[in-house]
Amino acid sequence: MTLWRPESRAHLRLVFRPGPDRVIADGYFEEGAVVRLPDRVYLNLHEPGCVRALLDEALARGLFPAAGTVEVDGWPLFDAVTPQDPPDGH
């Protein structure tokens, strides 16, 4: 997902790559889906509220560049904006 500031050439590219306990849309989930396993927490990157939460977290962390394009792993932002249950479910 690429975010940019109006009237600016600054871009923040959030990258969600599949990996252990991390799933992205692949035909099973609808386009734009990112899922954290094993708790199956899900975000749809096409939903404006989801994008806003990720942007707010990126801004709070100072990740948005003043100019140019910066590519950032999106999963830490995903974890910050979604609830996390303890492994035993309590």
Side-chain angles (χ1 to χ4, degrees), residues 5-55:
R5 293 177 188 223
E7 301 177 22
S8 172
R9 291 184 173 228
H11 293 87
L12 176 63
R13 184 168 295 139
L14 302 181
V15 179
F16 294 89
R17 291 186 175 88
D21 295 334
R22 306 292 179 163
V23 178
I24 61 171
D26 62 356
Y28 181 75
F29 295 102
E30 63 262 6
E31 184 180 343
V34 290
V35 183
R36 181 181 60 218
L37 301 174
D39 61 358
R40 297 188 178 120
V41 172
Y42 165 97
L43 287 178
N44 181 337
L45 300 178
H46 293 294
E47 292 181 8
C50 169
V51 174
R52 183 74 225 192
L54 293 167
L55 173 60

Side-chain angles (χ1 to χ4, degrees), residues 39 83-90:
D39 61 358
Q84 294 190 17
D85 292 329
D88 64 359
H90 293 97

